[in-house]
Amino acid sequence: MEYSSFTRTYDFIDANLLYMRSDNGGTTTLEVVKVTKDKAQILFRRPEAYAHEAIPQDLVTQMSEPGTIYLQAPLEEGHKWQTTDGSREIIGIDVAIKTPTGNYKTIEVIEKRNDGSTRTEYYAKDVGLVYAVDELTGESGYLVTQSLSKLAFKGWTESIPYQYVTGPDAFETATEKAWMTTNTSMALIFTEMFQGKYTVGEVLLPKRSSIQSITTNGQMSGQGKVITVDFTGDIASIATDDLGKEKLDAMITSIDQYYNADEVAVTVNGKPMVVKNIVTLTKEEPYYPIDQAREM
């Protein structure tokens, strides 16, 4: 038998959509689940998801490929429904499960797959999946259990790569620890970081300016992942700073590295960024030029 654990963060709750990241020690997977009074169904899944990403609901709707229904009403023993690879059935109610995060009364669901394997899952109220068993009998069989080892209800820390300026065309790098909660705005996190409110203390962003939003197109790194960063109009004042270009470069590079993006589009009040003597972006060429040799 093989034992593994997983941790989970609930990054965003947007109306009836739940954005959650689960880390099994090998990779971190983002799942967007639609929760209604009748069922909880996965709409979108993406592996290698290491950032706190706000994927707009309309994009989720466009990209969604409705998958497994994790739970379906009525929540009664014996209730069964079909999946694309077999069937799922509720086989237990108020089943006691002990995990490193605590003891739970759970709903026990078994999924029987067409290849003969089974997966038994245990769902706790207000928590979600807390325990799972994957099993296949026979010569090539296996038995793998997974247990929830960490669940952050009140928040968690996340590492943020941070590049700052030490002189003309001179940069240093650091890693900041940011406190996250469900629905935390990464635009606010980066605004505060760039205004010197974290441990490094270097001010890159003019005090009157801020990042209004950071959005993603929902793609994976290496497959056309674009992050769009929108600043307020006061960012134009960075043009009067002798190190203005370096500071803007450092901010965009930091954001690029955190999201592991393929491109970063930068706007000011929704329009392609134009900062005198530093950068001129257009609708045709909206991406900020990042020096790949200087990436962290």
Side-chain angles (χ1 to χ4, degrees), residues 89-108:
E89 181 181 357
I90 297 175
I91 59 174
I93 300 292
D94 289 337
V95 178
I97 290 293
K98 183 178 181 180
T99 77
T101 60
N103 300 327
Y104 303 97
K105 287 186 177 181
T106 67
I107 297 174
E108 183 180 21

Side-chain angles (χ1 to χ4, degrees), residues 6 125 129 148 155-156 192 202 204 216 218-219 221 225 242 255 262 283 286:
F6 64 96
K125 184 179 180 181
L129 183 68
L148 181 64
W156 63 95
E192 293 180 343
E202 293 292 327
L204 303 178
T216 174
Q219 299 301 313
S221 299
K225 182 175 183 178
D242 290 341
I255 293 172
D262 296 315
K283 289 183 178 180

Side-chain angles (χ1 to χ4, degrees), residues 247-274:
K247 290 181 178 181
L248 192 55
D249 285 351
M251 287 189 281
I252 303 305
T253 300
S254 297
I255 293 172
D256 173 63
Q257 289 296 286
Y258 173 68
Y259 288 101
N260 196 18
D262 296 315
E263 300 283 1
V264 180
V266 185
T267 58
V268 178
N269 292 328
K271 297 180 180 180
M273 172 177 269
V274 176

Side-chain angles (χ1 to χ4, degrees), residues 186-201:
M186 288 308 300
L188 177 60
I189 292 288
F190 276 111
T191 292
E192 293 180 343
M193 187 179 301
F194 295 152
Q195 290 181 340
K197 297 181 180 179
Y198 280 71
T199 55
V200 172

